[in-house]
């Protein structure tokens, strides 16, 4: 039995996802960005309007789905399988930033929109989904307490690294790369401690997440 081909609207939705973010750098997360993306992708504007959400938060969500799909294409399972777990997570976070580079200014706007009080719940859900996608790609199958701690920690790592990247003016984002390496080193130390001393002393996850989000300078 073969898989059914996606409908034209569903196919257009996926095709438009990244293009909308790239055009939102100029037009904001608006219908104008959708129309510009449709034109650049050779999709009828009327089809595009049916395929995508009609609000900024929905478009940001769709863009995130597009980033997830692109990440899976760039880092297939066989490539990740050859890496150690630290390298897998580092590569997934870094590649995610590279995918988003054409929409860097739009991401600034997206974060400002998601920081509005009425959008905080959705912002947390988007962050969790990104962390979950990366952990699943890395091969994580945990279903216990570790399932949640891993995703909470990676959400903090990715969120703080994203903010550092948005402010980075160094060549090749070298400062962000160094920042990411430091955050991952902290995570690895935490995991090692949790596996040792943490067996008899419950780790303070809240304190650790705070350190990742607001690292010492």
């Amino acid at each position: 039995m073969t898989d059914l081909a996606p409908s034209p609207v569903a196919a257009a939705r996926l095709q438009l996802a990244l293009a909308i973010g790239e055009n939102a750098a100029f037009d904001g997360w608006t219908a104008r960005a959708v129309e510009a993306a449709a034109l650049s992708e050779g999709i009828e504007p009327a089809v595009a309007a049916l395929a995508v959400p009609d609000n900024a938060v929905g478009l940001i969500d769709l863009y995130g789905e597009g980033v997830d799909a692109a990440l899976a294409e760039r880092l297939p399972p066989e490539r990740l399988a050859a890496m150690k777990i630290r390298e897998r997570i580092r590569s997934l976070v870094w590649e995610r930033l590279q995918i988003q580079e054409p929409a860097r200014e739009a991401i600034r706007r997206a974060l400002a929109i998601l920081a509005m009080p009425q959008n905080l719940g959705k912002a947390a859900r988007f962050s969790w989904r990104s962390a979950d996608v990366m952990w699943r790609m890395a091969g994580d199958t945990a279903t216990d307490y570790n399932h949640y701690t891993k995703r909470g920690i990676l959400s903090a790592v990715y969120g703080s690294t994203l903010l550092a990247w948005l402010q980075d003016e160094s060549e090749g984002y070298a400062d962000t790369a160094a920042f990411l390496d430091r955050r991952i080193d902290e995570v690895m130390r935490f995991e090692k401690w949790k596996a040792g001393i943490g067996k008899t002393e419950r780790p303070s996850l809240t304190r650790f997440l705070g350190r990742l989000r607001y690292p010492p300078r």
Side-chain angles (χ1 to χ4, degrees):
M1 182 176 180
T2 58
D3 294 334
L4 294 176
S7 69
V9 171
R13 175 183 170 86
L14 183 59
Q15 185 178 346
L16 287 166
L18 291 183
I20 288 172
E22 292 167 14
N23 282 280
F26 307 99
D27 298 316
W29 296 92
T30 65
R32 290 183 61 186
V34 174
E35 183 177 359
L39 292 173
S40 70
E41 295 296 316
I43 295 173
E44 288 291 331
V47 174
L50 288 173
V52 306
D54 61 358
N55 61 84
V57 174
L59 292 176
I60 293 168
D61 188 16
L62 174 60
Y63 176 74
E65 292 178 12
V67 173
D68 290 340
L71 188 62
E73 288 183 3
R74 293 197 186 189
L75 291 174
E78 60 271 18
R79 182 175 172 188
L80 289 169
M83 305 177 186
K84 293 183 178 180
I85 188 62
R86 183 194 189 285
E87 186 182 358
R88 291 180 199 176
I89 295 301
R90 202 267 185 198
S91 296
L92 286 162
V93 173
W94 186 253
E95 195 64 40
R96 193 176 189 90
L97 296 178
Q98 301 308 298
I99 291 168
Q100 294 176 101
E101 204 280 333
R104 194 172 180 220
E105 185 55 41
I107 292 169
R108 294 183 199 274
R109 298 186 185 189
L111 292 180
I113 292 169
L114 294 176
M116 295 178 181
Q118 68 270 27
N119 296 330
L120 291 178
K122 291 181 179 178
R125 180 170 64 82
F126 298 166
S127 177
W128 182 271
R129 183 184 66 196
S130 297
D132 184 54
V133 165
M134 287 188 281
W135 267 119
R136 289 181 185 278
M137 289 182 63
D140 179 63
T141 58
T143 57
D144 57 4
Y145 176 74
N146 283 325
H147 174 90
Y148 300 98
T149 59
K150 286 179 177 180
R151 282 146 184 81
I153 288 170
L154 186 53
S155 290
V157 169
Y158 174 62
S160 61
T161 304
L162 182 67
L163 293 176
W165 174 70
L166 289 172
Q167 300 171 28
D168 191 358
E169 300 298 333
S170 64
E171 184 175 355
Y173 301 113
D175 290 347
T176 300
F179 180 94
L180 174 58
D181 287 335
R182 290 194 298 272
R183 299 290 77 75
I184 292 181
D185 284 343
E186 289 182 356
V187 171
M188 293 298 103
R189 286 196 294 271
F190 178 77
E191 288 296 318
K192 185 178 295 185
W193 176 81
K194 188 174 68 172
I197 298 176
K199 291 180 179 178
T200 57
E201 179 184 348
R202 189 175 182 84
S204 175
L205 181 61
T206 302
R207 182 182 302 172
F208 182 68
L209 291 179
R211 178 180 175 83
L212 290 176
R213 288 193 176 97
Y214 309 105
R217 295 182 180 276

